[in-house]
Structure formats: structure tokens, C-alpha cells
Amino acid sequence: MLAVSGTDTLVQRASQSSAYMSSPSMSTRAATCNGHSEYCTRSYSNITFIGSHDSAFVGPLPQQNQNIDIEAQLDMGIRYLQVQTHRSVIDENVIELCHTSCLLEDAGPLKEYLETIKNWLDANPNEVVTLLLTNGDSVPITEFGDTFSSSGISNYAYVPSENPLSITDWPTLGDMISSGKRLVVFLDYGADTTKVNFIQDEFAYYFETAYGVTDASFPNCSIDRPSGAAATGRMGIVNHFLDVDVLGIKIPARHEADNTNAATGPGSIGAQAALCAGLYGYAPNVVLADFVDKGDVITAQKNLNGL
């Protein structure tokens, strides 16, 4: 049982078994994993990650969700990156990182984004990183596979021993690092592991709470997607980023980021995580945030992992 700092709520990280809570491995060699020795003997599914929502859309404009680039996000401790993909409007053979539409916000080709992450993984051998991609234009999975392969990052990609992998059967971070397979990849729609075995179907593994929230108190942790899903046997993604409605258009609430991304207090990461834990019996596996350099997201991550 883990206590969420600043609340009276106990968060049960794993109720299935003691092995799921912490499963030491004889093959673990890294002294630290994702910056902490405690993570080396924890299964991937028994860790809470603060994730960067729309991680590639960096800048001061209303449609941009982050202040610092991908390398800086990784350097500060973010290990879960979410990003939207679409077909390029210039070359339909290229998968581009675009916010809703490539005419609104275009952060460049997916291949370049993956190359940046690969270079960071090359330089940081004791780190496990996760990518969650959206597939707004229903691009065939083989095109994603080709892009990953051409970037060179697919050599790092973890392939589950079965699909879908049970929530209790994920390897420890130490095992993933020892094996060299320390990139986990999910796609929201269109995954097919019979064609590309290292890109997993997000909703075979996760549920998500609602996005587009405009209530700064984040009073809800109901399952929004997949429709009709139960939490049992799934990891949980909490969309903890605040929007404001401007003439019917929702844009990121940049001015509220320090409060939204606080570790504790009303409307904080810790407060919504405690709400979710009360409903489902365990802390969220992922909390997605905008403007990850604001507030105190790394302290929130440590709190939720009992560090």
C-alpha cells in the first residue's frame, strides 16, 4: 500500500500478488532504473509514470502543449511521451506530428522525433521510455513499422511474450534494461501485432479518463475509453491536463499549469490520483500532463511510487 502525499487515501499499487508488487530478477544488472534503484525490481505495470501530453507541440502559441523540447523533457525525468500523428499534407507517404490538423500545428516528421528519442536512449542505457501515439488518419500499421525501423529505434522496442500480456506478467524495469528492450510502444487505433509485433494496441492494455476537462478541480475519474470497459486487468491513464473554452474551442490552460501540475492540493495530480485510487483500488499507471516543466510533476511521480 502506498500513501499519496498530502491526502489520507492509501493507493494500492498492486493487489494481484506479491510477485506483481515487486519481482526481483537474477538477470537484473542495472543499479538504478529510470533513476531509482527501487524501480529495478518492480514490474512495468506496477509503476506510475507522469506522461507528457502532446509532447512534440512545443512553444507559446495557444495550440501548443509544452514549453520544453523532447530531449529536455526526458532529461527532467519524463519517461512517457504521448503524441498525435497524421499524414503529411505535403507528402502522403510521411507520417507527421500534427495537432488535430497539420494546417494548425506541424511539429515535423515522426521519423525525426523517433531519432531524437533513439539518440537519448543511446546515451542513457538505464532508462525505459514509453511512447503512446495517436493515429488520427488511420494510417496502416505497416507504415508506422517502417518509420520506426528507418529511424533505428525499433531495435529497442519491447515485444510482449504473449498478446495481450496480462497485467501481472509485465517484466521488471531491470529485466527490460538488461535485455536492451527498453522502449514500449502503444497506438490508440490500428495496431495489429500480427503485422508489427512491437506496437501494442493501447486499449487492449489501458483505460483512459476523459480529456478536454475544463473544471480545475478534476472531480472525475470515470472510464471514458474504451466504451464500456472495466478497470479490472487494465492499466489506467488519467488525462490530467486542463483546457479553457474560448468561443467553443478548447485550448490548453497554460496560466493554470503550476496549480494543475502541483504534487498535492486541490486539483493537483496527487488529488486526482487519490480519487482514481479510491474508485479502482490502485494508483493510475500514467498521468498525462501539459507543460511538464511547470508545477512539480516529478515530485508527484515520486509520491505515487512511494519514493
Side-chain angles (χ1 to χ4, degrees), residues 185-207:
V185 185
F186 296 98
L187 185 68
D188 67 343
Y189 297 109
D192 183 343
T193 54
T194 67
K195 296 178 179 177
V196 180
N197 64 356
F198 59 83
I199 299 180
Q200 310 309 312
D201 177 356
E202 175 194 358
F203 294 116
Y205 288 93
Y206 288 106
F207 69 83

Side-chain angles (χ1 to χ4, degrees), residues 278-298:
L279 289 174
Y280 306 121
Y282 56 92
N285 297 83
V286 183
V287 179
L288 292 179
D290 286 340
F291 313 115
V292 293
D293 60 318
K294 298 297 183 181
D296 202 352
V297 303
I298 299 304

Side-chain angles (χ1 to χ4, degrees), residues 21-75:
M21 289 287 288
S22 178
S23 52
S25 169
M26 295 299 291
S27 65
T28 299
R29 292 189 293 270
T32 62
C33 303
N34 284 20
H36 297 278
S37 59
E38 294 89 343
Y39 291 160
C40 292
T41 53
R42 283 195 197 175
S43 67
Y44 175 89
S45 57
N46 189 33
I47 295 173
T48 296
F49 299 94
I50 300 297
S52 174
H53 170 245
D54 282 342
S55 59
F57 308 134
V58 178
L61 299 178
Q63 73 272 20
Q64 294 166 331
N65 302 76
Q66 300 297 335
N67 293 319
I68 58 176
D69 65 21
I70 293 301
E71 186 173 0
Q73 292 174 36
L74 291 165
D75 285 344

